[in-house]
């Protein structure tokens, strides 16, 4: 990212001015149906991509089909009216969406054309022929319960240092800190990965499937909700105890509290990391991160509708900065850049109809 300070509070202010409920709808309903460019993946960016799906068009035809992340096991989607694209498993989380994209491209079915990702994990996908295209800038803070769930809400300090958060999330014994019940989103979540590896500074590879829970590396940390299901990221109404704390995307909290997406923040409040206000995080703060649309290399090199939609500062996504801001994000200064690739190859992938 260029060395340039910006304030995510710009996104917060614009979001506050836009209170139209339902401006970022869920699964695409047409017209047209189907959309040319379908995606699954990140919970964090589904709201902004849903909103962009309502405004990004070529020749008056909407292009993006952004499918929400799964909220329960066994959910499916139908992206196109072919047998291969009917009732396919609905992923949840950045990496799960990317894996679904890779599997689809390898099968040559063209049901999916990109994936939403709140994490840059391109080194984990060498040989999958992907380009990670930044389009917005987000931040990760932490959420606690405010008044409403209980008379006073959480006693957890709303200003914690990185060192304190690291202590909370790296307990290894069975004698846990009395005043904290640390939570993590399900494995595969980009927010979880970024929080552990970048915000806490644990480094690449720290986010593993057995990080949390009984028998895990850090049994004092949980990645399941009260019903024992994998914890959905950025879903504050799943916090049920005033001692709970979890990483939370600032963009999601803004969009939820301003009703630009379905409001699931519950009674949560955002905490500040290292004294930097959550809603005004500059580019040197611990929790700032780019978010991406992950596109197969063959579609990036074009000519293709995908290239028109995603590639370069003049792309249709990058030219819709007002839509990005309304969803609580800042426009990434490198919007549309194609530098980050898992590898430079095309493989056997091809450009499908409309892609």
């Amino acid at each position: 990212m260029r060395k340039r300070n910006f304030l995510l509070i710009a996104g917060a202010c614009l979001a506050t001015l836009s209170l139209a409920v339902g401006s970022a709808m869920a699964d695409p309903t047409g017209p047209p149906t189907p959309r040319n460019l379908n995606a699954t993946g990140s919970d964090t960016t589904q709201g902004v991509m849903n909103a962009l799906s309502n405004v990004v068009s070529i020749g008056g035809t909407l292009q993006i089909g952004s499918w929400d992340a799964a909220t329960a096991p066994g959910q499916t989607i139908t992206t196109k009216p072919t047998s291969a694209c009917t009732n396919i498993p609905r992923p949840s989380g950045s990496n799960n969406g990317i894996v679904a994209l890779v599997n689809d491209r390898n099968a040559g079915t063209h049901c999916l054309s990109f994936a939403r990702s709140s994490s840059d994990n391109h080194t984990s996908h060498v040989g999958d022929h992907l380009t990670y295209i930044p389009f917005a800038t987000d931040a990760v803070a932490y959420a606690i319960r405010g008044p409403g769930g209980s008379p006073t809400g959480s006693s957890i300090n709303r200003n914690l240092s990185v060192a304190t958060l690291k202590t909370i999330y790296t307990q290894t014994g069975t004698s846990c800190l009395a005043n904290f019940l640390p939570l993590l989103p399900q494995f595969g979540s980009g927010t979880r990965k970024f929080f552990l590896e970048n915000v806490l500074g644990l480094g690449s590879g720290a986010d593993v499937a057995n990080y949390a829970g009984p028998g895990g590396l850090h049994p004092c940390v949980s990645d399941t909700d009260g019903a024992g299901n994998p914890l959905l990221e950025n879903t504050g109404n799943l916090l049920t105890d005033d001692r709970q704390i979890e990483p939370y995307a600032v963009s999601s909290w803004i969009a939820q509290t301003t009703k630009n997406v379905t409001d699931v923040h519950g009674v949560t409040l955002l905490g500040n990391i290292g004294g930097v206000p959550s809603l005004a995080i500059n580019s040197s703060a611990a929790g700032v991160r780019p978010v991406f649309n992950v596109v197969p290399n063959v579609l990036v090199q074009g000519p293709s509708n995908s290239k028109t939609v995603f590639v370069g500062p003049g792309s249709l996504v990058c030219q819709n900065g007002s839509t990005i801001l309304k969803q609580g994000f800042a426009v990434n200064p490198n919007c549309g850049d194609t530098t980050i690739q898992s590898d430079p190859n095309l493989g056997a992938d091809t450009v499908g109809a409309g892609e």
Side-chain angles (χ1 to χ4, degrees):
M1 186 183 296
R2 296 169 189 162
K3 292 183 178 180
R4 169 182 169 184
N5 284 341
F6 57 89
L7 295 180
L8 287 183
I9 198 168
C13 292
L14 267 171
T16 303
L17 294 174
S18 176
L19 300 178
V21 176
S23 62
M25 299 300 289
D27 292 347
T29 56
T33 302
R35 301 288 173 88
N36 284 329
L37 309 175
N38 291 280
T40 63
S42 171
D43 308 54
T44 300
T45 64
Q46 72 182 21
V48 65
M49 290 310 300
N50 291 353
L52 286 166
S53 75
N54 294 327
V55 296
V56 170
S57 65
I58 296 176
T61 301
L62 295 174
Q63 297 294 308
I64 295 173
S66 177
W67 299 83
D68 283 359
T71 57
Q75 295 178 337
T76 62
I77 59 176
T78 296
T79 61
K80 295 180 180 180
T82 64
S83 59
C85 301
T86 300
N87 294 327
I88 59 179
R90 182 188 292 264
S92 181
S94 297
N95 192 59
N96 293 331
I98 294 170
V99 169
L101 173 67
V102 170
N103 290 341
D104 176 78
R105 306 312 293 192
N106 288 340
T109 47
H110 300 279
C111 303
L112 300 171
S113 300
F114 71 104
R116 303 185 303 262
S117 182
S118 59
S119 172
D120 173 10
N121 65 346
H122 73 279
T123 57
S124 298
H125 287 279
V126 175
D128 289 334
H129 323 314
L130 303 172
T131 300
Y132 286 60
I133 305 177
F135 72 99
T137 300
D138 189 19
V140 174
Y142 64 89
I144 57 175
R145 281 164 55 89
S150 63
T152 59
S154 177
S155 63
I156 296 174
N157 196 309
R158 289 189 66 189
N159 182 23
L160 296 177
S161 67
V162 171
T164 298
L165 286 169
K166 186 174 181 179
T167 297
I168 294 169
Y169 276 91
T170 56
Q171 302 170 71
T172 55
T174 56
S175 179
C176 304
L177 295 173
N179 297 322
F180 298 94
L181 292 176
L183 301 176
L184 283 175
Q186 63 186 339
F187 182 66
S189 159
T191 296
R192 164 182 167 141
K193 180 179 176 67
F194 181 81
F195 180 74
L196 292 175
E197 296 185 358
N198 298 89
V199 177
L200 300 188
L202 300 182
S204 178
D207 180 25
V208 291
N210 66 334
Y211 187 94
L217 299 176
H218 304 281
C220 294
V221 182
S222 175
D223 55 7
T224 58
D225 62 23
N229 297 316
L231 185 67
L232 300 175
E233 66 179 14
N234 307 318
T235 308
N237 57 18
L238 294 177
L239 273 69
T240 57
D241 190 300
D242 285 347
R243 294 171 296 167
Q244 290 174 328
I245 178 174
E246 70 164 346
Y248 215 98
V250 172
S251 60
S252 293
W253 195 89
I254 292 171
Q256 291 166 13
T257 56
T258 56
K259 314 304 181 186
N260 277 287
V261 299
T262 302
D263 184 6
V264 293
H265 91 287
V267 296
T268 58
L269 301 173
L270 293 186
N272 305 321
I273 299 177
V276 181
S278 297
L279 302 184
I281 300 179
N282 62 45
S283 58
S284 62
V288 170
R289 60 173 175 175
V291 293
F292 304 88
N293 288 311
V294 181
V295 184
N297 291 348
V298 69
L299 300 183
V300 169
Q301 297 189 13
S304 66
N305 285 339
S306 297
K307 186 172 184 179
T308 301
V309 169
F310 297 114
V311 176
S315 64
L316 296 178
V317 164
C318 296
Q319 290 302 303
N320 274 282
S322 61
T323 300
I324 293 172
L325 290 171
K326 286 177 182 178
Q327 299 304 314
F329 294 85
V331 179
N332 193 289
N334 295 325
C335 187
D337 184 78
T338 58
T339 301
I340 302 174
Q341 292 185 309
S342 64
D343 57 88
N345 305 313
L346 303 183
D349 201 357
T350 59
V351 179
E355 293 185 320

